[in-house]
Amino acid sequence: MTIPYHLTKAEKAPLLLEKLNALTELHFERSSEYRSMIEKGGYPTTANNLEEVPYLPVQLFKLMDLVSVPKEEVIKVLTSSGTTGQQVSKIYLDKETSFAQTKTLVEVMKPLLGGKRLPMIILDTKSVLNDRKSFSARGAGILGFSNFGRKHFYALNDDMSLDVEGLKAYLDEYKGQRILLFGFTFMIWQYVYRESLKQGINLDFGDSILIHGGGWKKLKDEAVDSTTFNRLLHDQLGIREVHNYYGMVEQVGSIFVECSNGHLHTPQFADVIIRDTLTFEPLPNGQQGLIQVLSELPKSYPGHSLLTEDLGTIKGEDDCPCGWKGKFFTVAGRIPKAELRGCSDTFQGGKRV
């Protein structure tokens, strides 16, 4: 039994539905904007199954402030990534939701990382954390995953150049130990892999495990899929174990991480539903459509059920060869013409925007 991937569909669905219905009721009472949308849409606040839980389009968080707690109780504001001129989502967290987010992330990652803090290299620059009250998606990701590591080392300088000497010294110091690597997919590709290749830098990350997430669009433009990404990082940097994850700043608690078979999995706290891109009706497993994400965590804002702009396919449920229960799925990318907002788009030509 691998917690939190141990519940079958029959065990998980009623538990999650009860919590989601309670969240719908809570946000209906506390957020006038949410209440207005539910009433105008004629949606019930008590759903009979997960597919009936009313959802909001994720883009809505770019257009309006949605909060279910008094502003004085907000301790942290998360913002989505965005290039110049794009609107960004603002997600307001109170103490309870922020704590639940941190606790859940630990449980989601424990099957891969264990319970012991590892020496950690963050494949990014420390300056992304300069503002401690307002975090971009990158900053929030780094801060959240930093809890799994110790002796944190940032591999990139403020100008996004690779700190080669610092990296070599760190790898020498922890040689023979398992090292946690964390970063955003495109940043790793652009500023670590390609730079080391370009400069002929030989690094060996040894017995390391890399956790990465973020947009794949720019890599797909270069015809780089996850298999190629993993292989090239192994060949150039000696990284032996790689796990991608799918998540978004608009929904805390929805972190879906790859298992040993390369499938993204839903933990007990969250779920996904695939919907038809035109009718929005739920689709059966095996068919590609829009990804709806469900999470039992958001209490400070009405984000427990969101329809994303991403396309995905559920590959199965409760029968992944890795042994984890729950749905497992793949993400194909953003729907055409969707506004780009992935972490990979937060840098243009090496300049932070």
Side-chain angles (χ1 to χ4, degrees):
M1 184 171 72
T2 306
I3 298 173
Y5 307 98
H6 61 299
L7 298 182
T8 63
K9 178 181 180 180
E11 295 167 331
K12 173 180 171 177
L15 296 174
L16 186 58
L17 179 62
E18 182 180 352
K19 292 176 179 176
L20 293 173
N21 277 335
L23 285 172
T24 301
E25 288 280 359
L26 181 148
H27 296 305
F28 188 88
E29 290 176 7
R30 297 183 181 179
S31 167
S32 58
E33 292 85 359
Y34 182 74
R35 181 167 57 251
S36 176
M37 286 184 277
I38 295 299
E39 287 179 337
K40 288 179 180 176
Y43 302 112
T45 53
T46 301
N48 295 309
N49 53 58
L50 294 177
E51 287 76 13
E52 283 187 6
V53 176
Y55 56 82
L56 301 181
V58 73
Q59 306 97 302
L60 207 57
F61 289 88
K62 295 179 183 175
L63 305 175
M64 57 196 303
D65 287 342
L66 291 166
V67 194
S68 300
V69 294
K71 284 287 181 75
E72 56 269 24
E73 292 183 15
V74 172
I75 63 166
K76 191 185 298 180
V77 181
L78 306 179
T79 58
S80 60
S81 306
T83 55
T84 302
Q86 288 184 331
Q87 290 178 290
V88 297
S89 299
K90 287 185 178 178
I91 305 302
Y92 298 90
L93 302 186
D94 64 353
K95 189 174 181 180
E96 181 182 4
T97 304
S98 180
F99 177 75
Q101 179 189 27
T102 302
K103 183 181 175 187
T104 300
L105 183 61
V106 169
E107 294 191 45
V108 166
M109 297 307 300
K110 191 176 286 185
L112 295 177
L113 300 178
K116 185 179 176 183
R117 291 192 174 199
L118 304 173
M120 183 173 184
I121 298 174
I122 298 163
L123 302 169
D124 210 312
T125 172
K126 194 173 185 178
S127 62
V128 76
L129 297 177
N130 280 347
D131 187 342
R132 307 294 288 189
K133 288 195 71 176
S134 179
F135 293 99
S136 65
R138 274 175 54 216
I142 290 170
L143 203 67
F145 278 90
S146 293
N147 292 322
F148 299 100
R150 59 184 172 86
K151 301 292 182 182
H152 304 101
F153 175 78
Y154 288 80
L156 300 181
N157 299 308
D158 286 349
D159 63 357
M160 304 307 291
S161 61
L162 195 58
D163 182 357
V164 179
E165 295 308 314
L167 261 178
K168 287 181 176 177
Y170 192 93
L171 292 172
D172 280 343
E173 182 177 354
Y174 293 100
K175 192 173 184 178
Q177 297 186 42
R178 196 176 196 220
I179 297 174
L180 170 60
L181 311 174
F182 174 78
F184 292 93
T185 311
F186 181 73
M187 309 289 289
I188 296 169
W189 176 256
Q190 181 74 19
Y191 299 107
V192 180
Y193 168 73
R194 293 184 77 168
E195 274 305 301
S196 63
L197 191 67
K198 180 181 174 183
Q199 297 182 38
I201 300 167
N202 292 316
L203 294 169
D204 185 355
F205 284 87
D207 183 21
S208 57
I209 175 171
L210 169 63
I211 307 294
H212 71 99
W216 278 88
K217 183 182 182 302
K218 289 185 177 177
L219 271 74
K220 287 184 177 177
D221 290 345
E222 297 181 31
V224 177
D225 59 15
S226 62
T227 303
T228 305
F229 181 84
N230 294 357
R231 177 174 55 80
L232 292 177
L233 258 61
H234 177 271
D235 292 348
Q236 180 65 27
L237 303 171
I239 299 174
R240 292 154 176 77
E241 185 177 350
V242 180
H243 296 271
N244 184 29
Y245 74 86
Y246 173 67
M248 62 204 68
V249 73
E250 289 88 351
Q251 190 174 73
V252 296
S254 283
I255 293 290
F256 307 103
V257 67
E258 278 182 349
C259 67
S260 56
N261 288 74
H263 294 136
L264 297 162
H265 273 260
T266 59
Q268 68 181 80
F269 324 100
D271 212 342
V272 295
I273 293 169
I274 303 298
R275 293 188 178 274
D276 186 276
T277 55
L278 296 177
T279 68
F280 302 116
E281 289 298 315
L283 292 174
N285 294 353
Q287 290 191 26
Q288 179 174 286
L290 282 172
I291 300 174
Q292 179 189 350
V293 289
L294 303 166
S295 167
E296 66 179 52
L297 270 60
K299 290 187 176 177
S300 55
Y301 70 98
H304 57 300
S305 176
L306 300 177
L307 188 66
T308 74
E309 302 166 329
D310 298 322
L311 294 169
T313 306
I314 294 174
K315 296 295 185 181
E317 186 166 13
D318 296 339
D319 58 355
C320 181
C322 76
W324 292 2
K325 304 299 182 187
K327 291 174 185 167
F328 52 99
F329 65 104
T330 56
V331 178
R334 203 62 56 81
I335 54 173
K337 296 184 180 179
E339 186 183 27
L340 300 177
R341 60 152 177 73
C343 293
S344 63
D345 304 310
T346 58
F347 271 74
Q348 291 181 328
K351 182 180 179 182
R352 188 145 49 98
V353 294

